[in-house]
Amino acid sequence: MRLALGEARKGFGKTSPNPAVGAVVVRDGILLGKGWHRRAGRPHAEIEAIRSLPETGLARGATLYVTLEPCSTHGRTPPCVEAILRAGFARVVVGTTDPNPAHAGRGLELLRRAGVAVTENILETECRNLNEGFNHWITTRRPLVLAKSAMSLDGRIARPPAESQWLTSASARRLGHRLRAQVDAILVGAETVRRDNPQLTVRGQGKREAERQPWRVVMSRSGKLPAEAHLFTDRWKERTLVFADLPTALEELGRLQATSVLIEGGGEIIGSAIDQGLVDRLFFFYAPLLVGGDVPSVGGEGVGSNADAWPLEDVTFEKIGPDLLCRARVRRKDL
């Protein structure tokens, strides 16, 4: 299953709105074939693994390891369950079940009815977490919301007008672009567009930036934005959307099959999203600087007491060059 996970990670950030999935074929402890889902509309991981076999007949009596329950319905491609049965696998080992309530467990049941031995929930947490955005979108029809901010150690994002717009290092910015490459949309406030004229594109990621650029979303109540901004004039201008409020933006992004959105600022947008309970994950970069001033990284109304604060879980800290990255999940108060 760890080999299958390694295959699945090759498709991370490339398969939306489909999940990233990996599969391997094994007989008597010997690896015979492997495959991964490359992008929506292309063959699923199970099919890629079967096609990788030196001879198709080698699948008969073998074991298929796959990170996600095989699909059982027609979509852009035929059901993988049918291909598994035709190939003659004796056993299928699954990392996690399909999170879609309409399909969950159906593929496994069809395999069992056909006499295939099924083992499930192997490395379940790793397999489930690999597709956090897809899992959220397929059950809520809204994208997973990630909030990213780069700030001084005292939590400020202000800087003098003539200074560079970057507080953090090049290493942190490279990681920021990897985050962009893994999401379907990037969201900022109108003031960020007016002040910084950002491109909000994926750069420095090789083929990824040529194959697929995320939606670029601007929050603006007035709709008054500079017509000459990069977002409205560059080659990806058709990928720019403007909304007046965040819930509407998330609803429309979900309709467009965006499974994840990265809020990049500024502080008021992130604060407002947190106030409304719309943020699922945090990526906060801290630079070894003390800036002061009155522009916090997280604005909004805030909470009335510590008891009302949004609890964080799965918190980790990582050194990125001279900077510090804090990753965390925001636990819903109603759960």
Side-chain angles (χ1 to χ4, degrees), residues 254-300:
R255 190 187 68 79
L256 292 171
Q257 298 188 326
T259 65
S260 55
V261 56
L262 180 66
I263 302 179
E264 290 201 352
E268 283 303 315
I269 289 293
I270 292 178
S272 176
I274 291 175
D275 285 342
Q276 296 175 72
L278 298 175
V279 174
D280 300 295
R281 295 198 66 187
L282 299 176
F283 292 83
F284 280 8
F285 292 85
Y286 293 90
L289 302 169
L290 295 176
V291 173
D294 58 355
V295 183
S297 58
V298 178

Side-chain angles (χ1 to χ4, degrees), residues 192-231:
T192 295
V193 176
R194 298 185 187 109
R195 184 184 68 236
D196 297 336
N197 191 19
Q199 299 178 61
L200 303 186
T201 54
V202 174
R203 300 187 294 279
Q205 303 298 307
K207 281 188 176 181
R208 171 62 177 81
E209 59 193 83
E211 291 175 350
R212 181 170 165 268
Q213 286 290 342
W215 291 102
R216 303 178 300 184
V217 182
V218 184
M219 304 307 304
S220 173
R221 293 189 182 91
S222 69
K224 296 178 180 178
L225 297 164
E228 69 279 6
H230 292 308
L231 299 182

Side-chain angles (χ1 to χ4, degrees), residues 14-16 18 36-44 76 211:
K14 303 174 183 177
T15 62
S16 186
N18 289 358
W36 52 284
H37 183 42
R38 297 170 185 270
R39 65 172 180 267
R42 292 283 298 273
H44 290 183
R76 298 187 190 183
E211 291 175 350

Side-chain angles (χ1 to χ4, degrees), residues 66-227:
V66 59
T67 56
L68 181 67
E69 175 184 356
C71 64
S72 56
T73 57
H74 281 271
R76 298 187 190 183
T77 58
C80 288
V81 166
E82 293 181 2
I84 292 169
L85 294 177
R86 283 197 305 271
F89 284 99
R91 183 183 181 215
V92 174
V93 181
V94 174
T96 185
T97 54
D98 188 336
N100 187 338
H103 301 157
R106 185 171 183 269
L108 303 184
E109 180 60 26
L110 290 173
L111 291 171
R112 288 189 173 109
R113 286 181 187 175
V116 177
V118 175
T119 304
E120 53 187 299
N121 301 332
I122 303 302
L123 297 183
E124 180 184 13
T125 299
E126 292 93 326
C127 291
R128 185 178 62 248
N129 288 346
L130 179 68
N131 291 299
E132 193 174 11
F134 170 79
N135 298 344
H136 184 87
W137 174 74
I138 201 67
T139 54
T140 67
R141 290 298 168 178
R142 282 193 171 194
L144 186 80
V145 177
L146 293 67
K148 178 179 81 72
S149 185
M151 66 196 80
S152 60
L153 194 59
D154 52 343
R156 295 296 187 267
I157 59 175
R159 59 186 183 276
E163 291 289 321
S164 165
Q165 68 183 94
W166 310 115
L167 288 172
T168 51
S169 65
S171 297
R173 296 198 295 276
R174 282 193 294 271
L175 180 54
H177 275 283
R178 286 204 295 274
L179 286 174
R180 285 184 176 185
Q182 296 167 5
V183 300
D184 297 327
I186 303 169
L187 185 149
V188 298
E191 190 56 33
T192 295
V193 176
R194 298 185 187 109
R195 184 184 68 236
D196 297 336
N197 191 19
Q199 299 178 61
L200 303 186
T201 54
V202 174
R203 300 187 294 279
Q205 303 298 307
K207 281 188 176 181
R208 171 62 177 81
E209 59 193 83
E211 291 175 350
R212 181 170 165 268
Q213 286 290 342
W215 291 102
R216 303 178 300 184
V217 182
V218 184
M219 304 307 304
S220 173
R221 293 189 182 91
S222 69
K224 296 178 180 178
L225 297 164

